[in-house]
């Protein structure tokens, strides 16, 4: 079983739609969680950290369920510029801040 | 700029040749990571440096791969006797230490390696 698993998609949605991505992780001792965004042929960039209480940044909402070892990302009012691959990232305890990446979920927003 | 810099951006090499990939992290970032990304795949962890030491090199795929870091700054990833399966984008990232959980890792633009 992979350490971090994501639905690969692609998710094809119209502008203005709400879309949700899920991610599961296998190491229950994981300490930190992130969503990174990667545009085509570009490097990954941090989208947002994920906190236990859930957190929101504009149109983006991240949730963490430690009991189920599950992370989610919700994007409201999708924009064309949201088209990218979204990478779920987990940092295990004692892992020297090593980031374990999921394979990513591809999102395509169309007019 | 003040971001992570990698060179070369593209490298085409013949099978069996050695290659060196370079990473200049953000100044002051003590943690440095190498990842590999094959076409359409996620990021595969290769090695982590804290200062000049590598406490976690568990991801290096074979003994043909090695990496070093000098002066707590520049890192070089060396692949000996390259094989076609080594073709991928090699990404370097740096972040601030000590191991604060919510520190961002900043990535370079990567080196696209093609072995022919």
């Amino acid at each position: 079983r992979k350490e971090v698993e994501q639905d690969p998609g692609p998710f094809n949605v119209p502008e203005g739609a709400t879309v949700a991505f899920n991610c599961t992780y296998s190491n229950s001792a994981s300490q930190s969680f992130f969503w990174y965004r990667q545009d085509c042929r570009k490097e990954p960039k941090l989208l947002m950290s994920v906190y236990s209480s859930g957190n929101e940044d504009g149109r983006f909402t991240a949730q963490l369920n430690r009991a189920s070892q599950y992370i989610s990302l919700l994007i409201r009012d999708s924009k064309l510029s949201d088209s990218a691959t979204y990478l779920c990232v987990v940092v295990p305890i004692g892992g020297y801040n090593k980031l374990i990446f999921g394979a990513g979920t591809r999102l395509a927003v169309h007019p | 700029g003040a971001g992570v810099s990698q060179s070369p951006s593209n490298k085409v090499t013949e099978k069996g040749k050695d290659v060196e990939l370079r990473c200049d992290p953000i100044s002051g970032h003590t943690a440095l990571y190498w990842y590999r990304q094959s076409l359409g795949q996620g990021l595969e962890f290769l090695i982590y440096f804290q200062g000049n030491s590598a406490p976690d090199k568990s991801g290096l795929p074979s003994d043909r791969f090695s990496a070093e870091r000098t002066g707590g700054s520049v890192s070089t990833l060396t692949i000996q006797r390259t094989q076609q399966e080594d073709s991928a984008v090699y990404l370097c990232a740096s972040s601030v230490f000590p191991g604060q959980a919510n520190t961002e890792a900043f990535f370079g633009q990567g080196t696209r390696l093609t072995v022919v």
Side-chain angles (χ1 to χ4, degrees), chain B residues 41-86:
Chain B
Q41 302 297 312
L43 276 73
E44 175 190 3
F45 170 80
L46 297 178
I47 189 169
Y48 160 83
F49 285 94
Q50 170 53 34
N52 291 335
S53 65
D56 190 344
K57 51 180 78 172
S58 62
L60 294 177
S62 75
D63 58 8
R64 295 187 296 105
F65 287 72
S66 62
E68 65 174 12
R69 188 179 185 195
T70 55
S73 181
V74 172
S75 176
T76 303
L77 177 69
T78 300
I79 308 173
Q80 296 178 309
R81 305 181 303 281
T82 52
Q83 303 295 312
Q84 288 184 328
E85 62 263 28
D86 299 335

Side-chain angles (χ1 to χ4, degrees), chain A residues 6 34-38 44 85-89 101-104, chain B residues 43:
Chain A
Q6 295 183 249
F34 305 89
W35 284 101
Y36 275 69
R37 169 190 169 135
Q38 186 173 27
T85 296
Y86 291 83
L87 302 165
C88 177
V89 183
F101 283 79
Chain B
L43 276 73

Side-chain angles (χ1 to χ4, degrees), chain B residues 82-96:
Chain B
T82 52
Q83 303 295 312
Q84 288 184 328
E85 62 263 28
D86 299 335
S87 296
V89 176
Y90 289 80
L91 289 158
C92 174
S94 70
S95 71
V96 173

Side-chain angles (χ1 to χ4, degrees), chain A residues 53-111:
Chain A
S53 56
N55 50 295
E56 188 174 306
D57 183 1
R59 298 181 294 109
F60 299 84
T61 301
Q63 296 281 348
L64 168 63
N65 184 323
R66 285 188 183 272
S68 300
Q69 295 177 210
Y70 172 97
I71 306 159
S72 66
L73 177 68
L74 183 77
I75 305 176
R76 291 181 301 278
D77 188 24
S78 298
K79 311 291 185 191
L80 294 176
S81 57
D82 294 335
S83 297
T85 296
Y86 291 83
L87 302 165
C88 177
V89 183
V90 172
V91 179
I93 287 177
Y96 300 103
N97 208 26
K98 180 169 78 175
L99 293 87
I100 309 296
F101 283 79
T105 298
R106 196 153 57 90
L107 171 66
V109 182
H110 57 81

Side-chain angles (χ1 to χ4, degrees), chain A residues 2 31-34 36 38 41-46 49-51 87 91 95-104, chain B residues 33 35 37 40-43 45 48 55-56 58 91 95-97 99-105 107-109 112:
Chain A
K2 292 182 180 178
Q31 61 176 348
S32 301
F33 309 89
F34 305 89
Y36 275 69
Q38 186 173 27
R41 301 178 79 87
K42 297 286 190 180
E43 74 275 20
K45 293 184 179 179
L46 179 67
S49 300
V50 185
Y51 301 115
L87 302 165
V91 179
Y96 300 103
N97 208 26
K98 180 169 78 175
L99 293 87
I100 309 296
F101 283 79
Chain B
Y33 310 84
Y35 288 84
Q37 187 171 33
Q41 302 297 312
L43 276 73
F45 170 80
Y48 160 83
D56 190 344
S58 62
L91 289 158
S95 71
V96 173
F97 201 79
Q100 296 175 12
N102 286 314
T103 54
E104 178 177 356
F107 282 83
Q109 293 191 326
R112 184 173 300 277

